[in-house]
Each structure stands twice: as C-alpha cells, then as structure tokens.
C-alpha cells in the first residue's frame, strides 16, 4: 500500500514540466548583462554608463557627441561585431548539436560527427596554402565542410544500408578521419613556417579576426537558414526520441526529417567553422545544459539552446579578450572549460535526466 | 473494417521466413501471433508495420493497400506498442502520449488544443492520468507500458499492433494489460499482438496464428489452434491443455507435462 502511494508522487525538478518562460527570461537578463560588460571592458575600457548611453543613442538613431568619437569607434566598429559574431556562432553550433543529438538519440553527439569540421579544415588549409584572400578561405572552408557531409551521405547511400543511423555514423568517422589525414598532409607539404602557423592558428578557432561587420550578416543569414527548418519541423523531431521504427509508426517520414536535420545542421556548423575556425565542445555541452533547464521537447529546447549557446560563446570570448593576455584562441578555452564541465553534467545527469 | 494479409511472404534479404501467410483480422478482435523463437513472429509483425519490405502478397486495411500509403496515412490505421521502452531523453509522460498525435499534426505543425485534449483523455481512460507530469524515463516497466499504449491510442488507429505486450511485466501488470487489451477490443479496436504465452492468448485472444519452426502455420479460432497436439508439435515438448468451466465460459491453461 505504502509503495503504491509513493509511486504516485510526482517527481519535480529542473525540467520541462515547469514553464520555460522564466528560464528564457533569466537567460535573456544574463545575456543583457554580459553584453553590457563585454562592450565596456577590454584593452580600451569604457565606463558602463557611457556604453549604455551610446548604445541607446545608436539604437534610437540619435546623433552622438563627437567627444565620444573614440568610444564610438571602439564600441561599434571593434567590439559589437565581435560580440555579435560570438553570439551567432555559439547559437549555430549549439543548435546543430541539439538537432544531431535528437536525430542520433545520443546526448554525446557533437555537430561535427559527420565530418563537417575536418572537411572545413582541409578547405581552410588549402586556401592558406594557395594564398587566397580571407573571403576565399571562408568560401573554400564552407564548401569543403558541406562537401564532407555530402560525401558521407553519398557513401552511406552506396553502402546500401541507407536506413541505418549506425552506418551513417561509421561513414562519418571514416570521412572525418580521411579529411583529417588530408589536412595533415597539406600541413606536412607546406615548408613555410608562416603558412603552417596560420593553419594551426585557424584550426584553433578565434573571433579576433573574424569578428568584423563584414561577417556578421553572413553568419546571421546562415543561422536563419539553418534554424528555419529545425523550428518548422520541431514536433516531428520530438517523435525521433524513440528511434526510427517507432517514429515511422507514429507517422514520421524518417528519411525526410533526417535529411532536413543533416542539411540544416551542416549549414549551421560549416558556416560557423568556415568563418571562425574550430571551436569545440560548445555544440556538445550547451544542448545538455539547455535540456537540463527546459527538458527535451524540441520546441522549448531550441530557443534555450540558441540563447544559451550564444551566451556561453560570448562569455568565453569576453573572458579571452578582457582577462587573458594576448589573443588566445577561444577554441582552446572552450575545450579547457568544456571537458570538466561535461564531466560535471554527467555526474548530475546520472540521477536527473539521462 | 478489416486488416487483411493475403498470400504474404516476408523475410530478410533473400531469405524467406514466413511464406503464404493468410489472415483476416476484424475490428473488435484480438489476433495473437504465437511461435517459438525464430519462427518469424517478429518478421511478420515488422512487415505488417512496414519496417521490413513485403516480399510477396498484399496487406490491406479496409481494402487500402498499406504499401501505397505514406507513413502518416498508415499511422492513422495502425498503432504500434513496441517491446522496447527506451529513450535517452527525459520527456514528460504527457509529451510522450502527445507524440502519438504526430500523424494528425501536419509535417510543419505543432500539437493544437484538440491534440492536447485527446492525449489527456487517453491517459484518463487508461487510468494513468496521475502519471501525466512524471518523466517517462523514471517510470516502472509497467507504467511505461501503459504510457506506450496510451501513445498508440492517442494516434486513434483502427488496429493496435502490440509486440509482446506482457513480456517485460510482473504478474499483476500482465493481468492488467491483458484486461486492457480485452476492453479495447470490446470497444471495437482490432488488436494484433505477438506473445510467448499461450495462457495469455486463452485469456484475451479471439484468433490465433501459430507459426511453426518449419515455416508452416496454423490460423484460426484460439480453441482450434492452441490444442495440446498443435502446441506439442510446435514447441517440440509434451504440452497439455486444461479446461474448466467457470462463470459460464471455459477457462484454459496449458502446461508442459
């Protein structure tokens, strides 16, 4: 009798059963605070009230007193584009990760599981060897990233077990490793130290160069293109949680939704990697944290992932820019933070939500 | 409306496991697929659901050829209660039941008010409304089975396909699920289930198919198919069926002897 009673007591904790609105609100507030601090501080610190005043003037389209010319330049030409870029890239990598984790039914999956990063790496290295301008590097990296994933899809189709997600993952590992080897080969061939260090630095991922106004609309466009289909098919994506057969029995066109997720995630990841280099762990960890906050329902998870991913990337890049000497690539810091954070989440997750 | 299997052959690759299977299942009936491991129960079951390609024959529901329907049209005819209860993500019970509405929600849609109400109703009808806000991953095996039945029912199918619905349950939950199966059939739903327990078929089945390891099969009324002789031949060990009348009907159990 007693056990029957206790079984009926609803378990409540940090999960989707409580309204996610408060989570979005808190994330939004933290984001606003981080944004203000990140804008104010740096090698040329600006008092917070001045930052807020100038932001307000800019947003309302009012003219800014020439006294503040230096501050205006620092804020709007140097810091703001980098901040926006960090936010967009964090949001893109995290949402790609969330979509892949839903598709592969595996919370351990990262956005580069199908080889997009190693593909983009080869494209970027090739562009550096060929001495292409920055736009060429970005384009080549994007094309190679996309190409690697298309190759994975084609090989999976040829192997014939097109229905199996396991084959897809295995081919992804093979193609990743192939492009990894190609990347190493290009590095091995380049005898010039400067070229080599440019490649290595690019692979580490950073916003110090790419955080420019030129790139912001490109990344924003890619984010919209990638997020659009994921938002529209959010309910179908939920039904993948019990696997292909059950999803199909519930009326999901599995192959269609799989293609949509792969293409959307590839656009998101390839553009982020092409513009800013390899930034690890964000796409793996943020969806975890977001699920922890709002639960796995994709319609709630995606906004939390976008906000959380953007916020995390912005915060880490701000720390790199403000506190650390020199320009340490942000990818190193995300990995240094990511690994222990992930272990911590795993410890929590064992009881809570996996 | 009927679920009809005409001259069905199924199997993996070039290997045919079940050949020339004929059966007709009507709404309100409980059709039980029985047979030893490897006799093709699961293969036939998965072929009906469209997880495996049909090698030969036709499967129709109300005259409509299933192979010509898309996933969503099929889902509105056949609901599926799987044997596995695994998902890595902690969806709420309500969300899981709501997933059953997917076939009624457009490809780009989200659950509407009617879908929420339908999910809620099904949970209440099955007497598990109190589980609504619990996390699916934290339920017991018996509770999960009830939720997965609720999910399939919220799909509003004409036929319910249940893969070994009692195999992971304790004694009490087995009886509970069998009772539910009977209630659903009484309300006009057609149920097709696979099972390893002839006793469960005696309890809730109207029709049975006994698949034999040699590829042969017997289909018909439960009392005519599940005889001591047929069970003995199929499972390769001496089985006896005991009958006793109670409350105006015959109860049956079988035992190896």
């Amino acid at each position: 009798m007693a056990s029957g009673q206790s079984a009926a007591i609803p378990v409540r904790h940090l999960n989707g059963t409580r309204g996610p609105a408060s989570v979005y609100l808190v994330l939004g507030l933290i984001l606003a605070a981080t944004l203000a601090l990140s804008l104010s501080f740096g090698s040329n610190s600006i008092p917070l009230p001045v930052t807020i005043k100038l932001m307000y003037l800019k947003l309302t389209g009012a003219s800014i007193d020439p006294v503040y010319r230096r501050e205006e330049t620092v804020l709007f030409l140097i810091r703001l584009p980098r901040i926006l870029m960090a936010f967009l890239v964090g949001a893109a990598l995290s949402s790609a990760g969330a979509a892949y984790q839903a598709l592969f039914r595996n919370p351990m999956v990262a956005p580069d599981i199908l080889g997009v990063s190693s593909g983009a790496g080869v494209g970027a290295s090739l562009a550096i060897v060929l001495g292409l301008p920055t736009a060429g590097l970005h384009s080549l990296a994007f094309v190679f990233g996309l190409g690697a994933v298309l190759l994975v899809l084609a090989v999976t189709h040829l192997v014939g077990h097109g229905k199996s997600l396991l084959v897809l993952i295995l081919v992804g590992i093979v193609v990743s490793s192939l492009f990894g080897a190609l990347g190493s080969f290009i590095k091995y061939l380049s005898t010039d130290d400067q070229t080599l260090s440019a490649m290595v630095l690019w692979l580490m991922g950073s916003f110090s160069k790419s955080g420019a106004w030129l790139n912001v609309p490109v990344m924003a466009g890619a984010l919209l293109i990638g997020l659009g289909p994921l938002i529209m098919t959010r309910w179908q994506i939920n039904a993948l949680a019990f696997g292909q057969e059950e999803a199909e029995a519930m009326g999901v066109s599995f192959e269609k939704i799989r293609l949509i997720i792969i293409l959307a995630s590839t656009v998101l990841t390839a553009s982020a990697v092409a513009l800013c280099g390899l930034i690890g762990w964000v796409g793996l960890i943020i969806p975890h944290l977001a699920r922890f906050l709002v639960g796995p329902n994709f319609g709630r998870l995606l906004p939390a992932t976008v906000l959380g991913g953007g916020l995390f990337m912005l915060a880490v890049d701000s720390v790199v820019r403000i506190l650390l000497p020199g320009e340490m690539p942000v990818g190193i810091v995300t990995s240094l933070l990511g690994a222990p954070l992930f272990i911590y989440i795993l410890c929590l997750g064992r009881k809570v939500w996996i | 409306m009927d679920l009809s299997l005409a001259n069905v052959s199924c199997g993996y690759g070039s290997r045919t496991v079940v050949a020339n299977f004929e059966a007709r299942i009507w709404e309100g009936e409980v059709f039980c697929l029985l047979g030893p491991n490897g006799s093709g129960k699961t293969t036939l079951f998965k072929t009906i659901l469209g997880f495996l390609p049909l090698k030969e024959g036709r499967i129709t529901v109300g005259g409509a050829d299933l192979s010509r329907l898309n996933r969503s049209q099929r889902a509105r005819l056949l609901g599926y209660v799987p044997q596995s209860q695994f998902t890595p993500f902690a969806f709420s019970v309500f969300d899981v039941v709501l997933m059953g509405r997917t076939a009624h929600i457009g490809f780009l849609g989200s659950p509407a008010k009617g879908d929420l109400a339908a999910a809620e109703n099904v949970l209440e009808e099955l007497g598990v409304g109190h589980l609504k806000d619990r996390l699916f991953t934290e339920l017991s095996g018996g509770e999960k089975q009830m939720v997965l039945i609720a999910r399939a029912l919220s799909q509003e199918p004409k036929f319910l396909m249940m893969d070994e619905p009692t195999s992971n349950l304790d004694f009490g939950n087995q009886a509970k699920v069998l009772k539910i199966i009977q209630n659903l059939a009484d309300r006009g739903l057609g149920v097709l289930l696979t099972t390893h327990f002839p006793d469960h078929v005696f309890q809730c089945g109207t029709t049975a198919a006994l698949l034999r390891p040699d590829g042969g099969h017997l289909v018909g009324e439960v009392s005519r198919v599940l005889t001591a002789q047929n069970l003995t031949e199929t499972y390769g060990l001496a089985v006896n069926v005991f009958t006793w009348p109670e409350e105006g009907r015959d109860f049956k159990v079988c035992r190896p002897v």
Side-chain angles (χ1 to χ4, degrees):
Chain A
M1 196 78 84
S3 64
Q5 296 258 312
S6 68
I9 295 171
V11 179
R12 295 209 174 255
H13 48 64
L14 276 174
N15 207 300
T17 46
R18 71 174 196 185
S22 54
V23 174
Y24 301 145
L25 187 69
V26 170
L27 281 178
L29 288 176
I30 300 175
L31 180 63
T34 313
L35 187 70
L37 291 174
S38 182
L39 276 168
S40 287
F41 294 100
S43 55
N44 256 314
S45 286
I46 301 164
L48 199 52
V50 177
T51 304
I52 293 170
K53 184 177 155 195
L54 290 181
M55 282 302 285
Y56 176 76
L57 289 176
K58 199 75 172 182
L59 278 175
T60 51
S63 60
I64 290 172
D65 194 325
V67 176
Y68 292 120
R69 175 141 316 142
R70 184 185 65 85
E71 284 85 349
E72 196 188 350
T73 309
V74 170
L75 279 185
F76 300 110
L77 283 181
I78 299 169
R79 283 192 198 145
L80 192 57
R82 176 164 176 169
I83 283 170
L84 289 175
M85 204 60 192
F87 181 87
L88 293 170
V89 164
L93 291 173
S94 308
S95 11
Y100 271 167
Q101 290 176 4
L103 173 64
F104 293 108
R105 294 209 300 152
N106 188 337
M108 305 291 158
V109 165
D112 53 4
I113 182 146
L114 297 185
V116 61
S117 294
S118 24
V122 170
S125 303
L126 212 56
I128 292 169
V129 170
L130 296 176
L132 295 185
T134 316
L137 187 152
H138 291 167
S139 314
L140 213 56
F142 181 82
V143 167
F144 269 73
L146 195 66
V149 175
L150 292 180
L151 182 64
V152 169
L153 289 178
V155 173
T156 308
H157 188 73
L158 281 180
V159 169
H161 307 290
K163 283 187 93 174
S164 161
L165 284 174
L166 189 64
V167 174
L168 191 63
I169 290 180
L170 289 177
V171 176
I173 292 171
V174 170
V175 169
S176 281
S177 149
L178 176 74
F179 276 89
L182 280 176
S184 300
F185 185 61
I186 297 172
K187 273 181 233 149
Y188 171 73
L189 286 185
S190 51
T191 43
D192 171 12
D193 274 358
Q194 222 172 350
T195 315
L196 200 58
S197 78
M199 284 182 210
V200 171
L201 210 59
W202 184 87
L203 284 171
M204 288 174 184
S206 164
F207 297 106
S208 60
K209 284 206 193 88
S210 57
W213 276 120
L214 182 70
N215 296 328
V216 172
V218 178
M219 194 58 225
L223 186 65
L224 288 180
I225 291 172
L227 280 182
L230 295 181
I231 294 171
M232 287 192 277
T233 57
R234 63 193 180 280
W235 185 256
Q236 305 276 320
I237 291 175
N238 279 335
L240 303 179
F242 286 85
Q244 177 172 358
E245 288 188 350
E246 286 179 56
E248 287 183 335
M250 287 188 267
V252 174
S253 312
F254 184 81
E255 269 146 60
K256 194 157 126 194
I257 196 80
R258 181 176 74 175
L259 191 65
I260 287 175
I261 290 179
I262 292 176
L263 291 181
S265 302
T266 302
V267 166
L268 290 168
T269 313
S271 42
V273 176
L275 289 170
C276 304
L278 301 186
I279 300 168
W281 286 97
V282 184
L284 180 61
I285 285 187
I286 297 300
H288 265 273
L289 285 172
R291 258 195 307 275
F292 185 62
L293 292 173
V294 298
N297 189 319
F298 208 68
R300 290 194 291 254
L301 180 65
L302 202 55
T305 305
V306 166
L307 272 177
L311 172 62
F312 178 79
M313 200 72 256
L314 168 59
V316 174
D317 186 53
S318 303
V319 168
V320 166
R321 183 169 56 80
I322 298 166
L323 298 182
L324 300 180
E327 271 294 351
M328 180 141 128
V330 71
I332 298 178
V333 183
T334 56
S335 295
L336 282 176
L337 279 176
L341 191 59
F342 190 69
I343 298 291
Y344 175 67
I345 305 172
L346 278 186
C347 294
L348 285 177
R350 178 162 297 163
K351 287 184 215 81
V352 182
W353 92 110
I354 282 188
Chain B
M1 194 178 265
D2 68 322
L3 166 60
S4 145
L5 291 91
N7 190 30
V8 166
S9 295
C10 55
Y12 299 89
S14 61
R15 204 167 72 91
T16 299
V17 183
V18 179
N20 308 318
F21 191 89
E22 298 268 348
R24 225 166 161 195
I25 303 144
W26 296 93
E27 281 177 292
E29 264 188 351
V30 180
F31 185 96
C32 305
L33 268 175
L34 242 103
N37 293 328
S39 61
K41 263 189 335 285
T42 306
T43 314
L44 182 58
F45 190 81
K46 289 193 166 186
T47 305
I48 299 172
L49 279 164
F51 300 156
L52 292 172
L54 189 61
K55 292 175 89 78
E56 235 176 274
R58 254 160 66 93
I59 302 175
T60 56
V61 174
D65 193 332
L66 285 187
S67 63
R68 290 172 190 274
L69 302 181
N70 65 29
R71 285 284 170 201
S72 149
Q73 290 167 323
R74 260 194 240 194
R76 274 172 267 168
L77 296 173
L78 301 182
Y80 173 41
V81 180
Q83 204 183 333
S84 138
Q85 307 178 324
F86 175 76
T87 172
F89 302 120
F91 278 92
S92 73
V93 164
F94 189 66
D95 276 348
V96 171
V97 177
L98 210 45
M99 284 176 197
R101 299 295 302 166
T102 305
H104 299 268
I105 298 169
F107 188 69
L108 302 181
S110 267
K113 257 194 188 135
D115 299 307
L116 302 180
E120 197 130 6
N121 282 344
V122 170
L123 278 169
E124 289 301 332
E125 277 169 30
L126 287 177
V128 285
H130 60 282
L131 297 179
K132 189 181 152 199
D133 291 330
R134 295 269 303 274
L135 296 180
F136 180 79
T137 39
E138 290 178 350
L139 301 180
S140 71
E143 289 170 328
K144 280 182 182 164
Q145 185 68 320
M146 296 303 292
V147 173
L148 291 179
I149 293 173
R151 186 184 72 183
L153 291 179
S154 82
Q155 207 165 312
E156 294 175 22
K158 303 289 181 235
F159 291 89
L160 195 61
M161 306 277 301
M162 306 177 88
D163 193 10
E164 299 189 20
T166 50
S167 64
N168 298 313
L169 304 181
D170 67 43
F171 184 68
N173 277 319
Q174 286 183 358
K176 197 171 152 190
V177 166
L178 290 173
K179 185 86 197 147
I180 285 169
I181 290 171
Q182 208 154 29
N183 290 342
L184 291 174
D186 289 345
R187 276 173 28 197
L189 191 71
V191 180
L192 192 156
L193 59 85
T194 63
T195 181
H196 282 301
F197 307 107
D199 284 349
H200 293 172
V201 181
F202 288 135
Q203 278 179 56
C204 73
T206 32
T207 319
L210 192 58
L211 300 182
R212 303 183 7 166
D214 60 7
H217 49 259
L218 298 161
V219 184
E221 216 176 288
V222 171
S223 56
R224 302 228 323 260
V225 172
L226 297 191
T227 61
Q229 193 193 345
N230 287 340
L231 288 170
T232 300
E233 282 171 12
T234 304
Y235 288 96
L237 82 171
V239 175
N240 217 339
V241 175
F242 302 91
T243 313
W244 72 97
E246 205 175 292
E247 290 169 9
R249 55 171 283 203
D250 278 351
F251 279 79
K252 284 186 175 188
V253 288
C254 76
R255 291 210 61 157
V257 285

